[in-house]
Amino acid sequence: MLLTALQKNLLNNYQQDFPLSPRPYLEIATTLGITEDEVLALFKDLSTQGFISRIGLVIQPNTIGVSTLVAMKIPAPQLHKVANIINQFSEVNHNYQREHEFNLWFVLIANDPPHLNQVLISIEKQTGFKPLNLPLLDDYFINLGFQMALDDKS
Amino acid sequence: MINPEDLELIIALQHGLPLVSRPYAELGKSLGLSEQDVIQRLQYLKQQGLIKRLGVIVKHKKLGYAANAMVVFDIPDQQVAQMGQRISQFEFINLCYRRPRHDKLWSYNLFCMIHGKNRDMVLKQLQTLIEQCALSSYQYDILFSQHCFKQRGALYGTQKNSSLK
């Protein structure tokens, strides 16, 4: 992975407090001493290459709708089948296999608590396994984005 | 509760800020809002804390951060808030939540996420965390991710097409 100093700067320094001004890319360009078109081209390139998913929002959990983390204990031979059933639900966003007795972990987002409970019940019915519901109780993290040591050598 | 106009704005931004010279004006077009309206609403929602951040959303894996582990601790209830805040200070931590225990099934109440370039790096970082926060006397577990079955950003406003059966 060969990233230029400019690309690293755009990746690390604009994860939060992206300029809320009419011409944000121009504002960034001025800081970096390049043109607005160059900033736009760099972002397009980072996006095409898959280094960034978007310039977007991270919303405080449970302010729009409700979400929860769910864990399930699935026998290995059935894991893929169960994961596929779970992926069919539009309420599921992340769905990961993890190295643990509880080997399937996913996040559910729904409009309201009754809707969320309905999804949990449907999942249990359709998979035959009991979901462990682990809703967020407190959030201790102040999101400052993700600072990466993007040295090519490390 | 969020008002419908703000929700529309957030939904319009789900696929990202347009890469054009005046992105907020562009965003406003489809919503019937002026550029200034869009900027002011976003500023307000940030101040309110509903928007946790606005900015570049990177793909860790593609950037060489291929290992990710969920680390869970069993911390006494009276200490969990203080410990959570302390853990959150480490730069390799990028989420830290308290979640419920479940009798006999699940005893851990503090969850954090560690991203690293590889497994060894994650384990080293965990060791640093345990030493510096004096966590060695508590039960913990580390859950490396093995396979991603599905990943996408939270999609708001799409739950009407529920797959409930």
Side-chain angles (χ1 to χ4, degrees), chain A residues 66-68 70 91-93 106-110 116 119-120 123:
Chain A
V66 287
S67 64
T68 194
V70 183
E91 293 83 357
V92 170
N93 57 35
F106 52 91
V107 174
L108 288 181
I109 296 189
L116 197 69
V119 177
L120 286 166
I123 284 174

Side-chain angles (χ1 to χ4, degrees), chain B residues 37-52:
Chain B
D37 287 341
V38 171
I39 291 173
Q40 278 172 3
R41 285 319 293 173
L42 290 172
Q43 266 161 353
Y44 174 78
L45 294 172
K46 260 185 92 174
Q47 279 161 10
Q48 295 294 302
L50 188 116
I51 294 177
K52 234 179 155 183

